[in-house]
Amino acid sequence: NAGETVVSLIHLAQHRLVLTTPYFVPDDATLSALRIAALSGVDVQLVLPSLSDFAPVLHAGRSHYTRLLQAGVVIHELQDAVLHAKTAVVDGVVSTVGSSNLDWRSIASNNEVNAIILGEDFGGTMERMFRQDVQASKTIALADWQQRSLLQRTKEALARLLDRWW
């Protein structure tokens, strides 16, 4: 299963994990793996969308930001573009590119496939592309995130509550 593979890769990270996904509604295992990695000193950075073709997914994913930010995960939201990339690079050496998102549907029921590529050359290329996405992104600061509106918090809570029905 592609989702389990990504979680396994997160657990492998010792220094750096960079991950890009357009649909981010992590299950408990993924959320826990990301938090544990960051709390263990791994530089965990995510590029996630600021726009989505399906707003409930965006809001449900954002409902997890506080816990991730508190653990030290760095979240960047790509601006002014629809995000399509589904990639991860672990310690500059292990990379994955594929069709799986970090949402419960990809993990539990979709037929997804990811390629895993070993090597510093490919990993370096992937990390350069990640940095380009970061430059086109807004980094979410915990203090700013905690000041978001009640309306935004309500959208997040409702989307997360209903995420199994879409």
Side-chain angles (χ1 to χ4, degrees):
N1 160 318
E4 290 172 358
T5 300
V6 172
V7 170
S8 295
L9 291 176
I10 294 168
H11 285 300
L12 286 176
Q14 294 181 8
H15 305 287
R16 184 177 59 256
L17 167 69
V18 297
L19 193 145
T20 304
T21 187
Y23 293 114
F24 180 74
V25 185
D27 64 354
D28 290 339
T30 304
L31 187 63
S32 178
L34 290 167
R35 288 175 40 82
I36 289 169
L39 289 167
S40 299
V42 175
D43 176 17
V44 178
Q45 296 196 35
L46 310 177
V47 169
L48 304 174
S50 65
L51 308 167
S52 180
D53 58 350
F54 189 58
V57 171
L58 182 70
H59 297 305
R62 285 177 170 168
S63 74
H64 298 283
Y65 281 17
T66 299
R67 292 186 64 212
L68 290 166
L69 292 167
Q70 288 172 334
V73 174
V74 179
I75 300 172
H76 311 279
E77 283 191 346
L78 186 67
Q79 302 295 299
D80 304 320
V82 175
L83 184 60
H84 292 287
K86 299 163 186 142
T87 66
V89 183
V90 176
D91 296 331
V93 178
V94 181
S95 305
T96 181
V97 179
S99 63
S100 64
N101 291 290
L102 283 181
D103 69 332
W104 74 268
R105 192 176 308 273
S106 279
I107 293 168
S109 64
N110 286 356
N111 291 322
E112 307 285 1
V113 65
N114 283 28
I116 297 176
I117 301 95
L118 302 176
E120 292 178 0
D121 289 343
F122 190 82
T125 299
M126 295 290 293
E127 285 189 335
R128 281 190 294 283
M129 292 188 311
F130 182 86
R131 286 191 297 274
Q132 288 174 346
D133 286 343
V134 167
Q135 290 176 350
S137 298
K138 175 185 174 192
T139 301
I140 307 298
L142 178 59
D144 294 337
W145 187 251
Q146 291 174 325
Q147 299 301 313
R148 69 196 185 286
S149 71
L150 179 60
L151 176 61
Q152 179 61 35
R153 291 170 191 258
T154 302
K155 287 179 184 178
E156 293 163 12
L158 287 173
R160 189 164 170 189
L161 182 67
L162 300 173
D163 76 350
R164 298 295 172 161
W165 284 291
W166 20 271

